[in-house]
Amino acid sequence: MLQSQNGRNKTEKASSVESKKYLSTTYERVDRPPNFVDMTDNKAEKRPLRIILIGYMGAGKTTVGKALSKELGIPFYDLDWYIESRMYKTVKQIFDEKGEDGFRKVEQAMLHEVAEFENVIISCGGGTPCFFDNMDYMNAQGETVYLKAVPEVLHGHLVMGKSVRPLLLNKTPEEVDVFIREQLKLREPFYTKAKYTLDVSLMDNYEKIQLSVEKLRHLLNIEN
Ligand code: S3P
């Protein structure tokens, strides 16, 4: 199951960029914010931009994805939400009806739909990179970023979170802790195949979320 790390992985560097002030906490989409980056105007590189966020449950993929979408003025897709709207079922219902194997097949099929869209930000489920050739496929399709957080932070977000996560149902907080640590060991070899890694362990308030977004722009070389 283990795979070697791709040599292109870059680690985020401290950025001196101050967090932006205009981002509202509601993340409603605007068509063209003042700092709209027209990705279609990039003559040097003809490839459409796809920023694909991966990482464990509770790392903040959706939070960062929405905030970056707002900044860049390009659409954001959460793969779980996409699956639910395409299948007219919740992720939990799909797990209940088809089991995890069935869910993974649906997830792969839906990944192949969203990752064809151009100039988008996509956040994947925590397990997406770890099944089939999904990680290689995502690396071929776009700029993959591993949002990395330590188990304590993931645990804090997951026990407080309201989302229904089938893999965590009926587990006590102690069992969730053990589960996260065990799963991270198995999943990290896949996550670290991402082209970039951004440490988001300290992303516990609005300013820090904004700082993570700025660091991500810097990593991806998308400047203001
Ligand atoms: C899963 C993560 C979930 C969702 C499903 C399975 C996983 O997404 O896809 O419950 O295997 O880690 P989030 O990472 O968005 O919670």
Side-chain angles (χ1 to χ4, degrees):
M1 189 163 173
L2 299 188
Q3 293 180 19
S4 66
Q5 179 172 347
N6 172 327
R8 287 177 300 174
N9 187 295
K10 284 207 253 166
T11 308
E12 55 94 2
K13 296 189 199 102
S15 163
S16 59
V17 184
E18 287 294 322
S19 60
K20 291 249 178 266
K21 298 195 179 60
Y22 59 80
L23 180 64
S24 79
T25 47
T26 51
Y27 303 120
E28 68 282 357
R29 283 258 307 282
V30 274
D31 284 341
R32 286 196 173 215
N35 58 338
F36 177 78
V37 179
D38 189 353
M39 304 300 171
T40 57
D41 207 25
N42 186 347
K43 303 278 188 305
E45 189 173 350
K46 291 268 162 40
R47 268 164 62 92
L49 183 76
R50 298 184 189 99
I51 300 169
I52 306 178
L53 305 178
I54 66 160
Y56 200 71
M57 290 182 274
K61 301 175 296 266
T62 305
T63 304
V64 171
K66 280 178 175 175
L68 186 65
S69 156
K70 176 92 178 181
E71 277 227 1
L72 301 184
I74 60 175
F76 168 72
Y77 289 89
D78 176 293
L79 184 57
D80 281 340
W81 299 349
Y82 185 80
I83 292 170
E84 293 186 342
S85 67
R86 283 279 280 105
M87 304 298 289
Y88 299 102
K89 284 178 182 165
T90 64
V91 166
K92 180 175 180 314
Q93 283 172 324
I94 301 171
F95 262 79
D96 288 346
E97 287 172 17
K98 298 175 183 281
E100 182 173 355
D101 287 354
F103 171 75
R104 296 302 171 191
K105 286 183 191 144
V106 172
E107 180 180 54
Q108 184 192 33
M110 298 295 113
L111 173 68
H112 280 246
E113 289 190 11
V114 282
E116 291 299 324
F117 300 160
E118 302 193 346
N119 303 319
V120 288
I121 299 163
I122 300 163
S123 101
C124 296
T128 316
C130 314
F131 291 85
F132 311 110
D133 63 347
N134 289 352
M135 197 61 231
D136 293 335
Y137 171 73
M138 289 190 279
N139 274 331
Q141 288 299 103
E143 303 308 310
T144 48
V145 185
Y146 170 28
L147 299 187
K148 181 178 172 132
V150 294
E152 294 74 18
V153 168
L154 298 171
H155 185 262
H157 290 168
L158 290 172
V159 296
M160 280 182 343
K162 296 189 203 89
S163 309
V164 178
R165 291 179 162 104
L167 295 178
L168 303 179
L169 281 181
N170 306 320
K171 287 189 171 55
T172 65
E174 292 72 27
E175 287 168 341
V176 170
D177 184 55
V178 173
F179 185 75
I180 292 171
R181 288 169 197 279
E182 285 176 358
Q183 271 215 316
L184 262 185
K185 277 192 207 135
L186 297 171
R187 289 183 170 190
E188 275 231 304
F190 295 94
Y191 293 160
T192 53
K193 287 180 79 183
K195 294 178 184 174
Y196 305 92
T197 297
L198 179 71
D199 193 324
V200 290
S201 287
L202 294 176
M203 213 174 55
D204 56 2
N205 64 28
Y206 172 74
E207 275 72 29
K208 288 178 186 163
I209 292 167
Q210 275 309 98
L211 197 56
S212 291
V213 169
E214 293 307 330
K215 285 181 181 175
L216 186 49
R217 285 183 76 140
H218 184 70
L219 258 186
L220 296 170
N221 208 13
I222 304 170
E223 301 300 344
N224 289 320

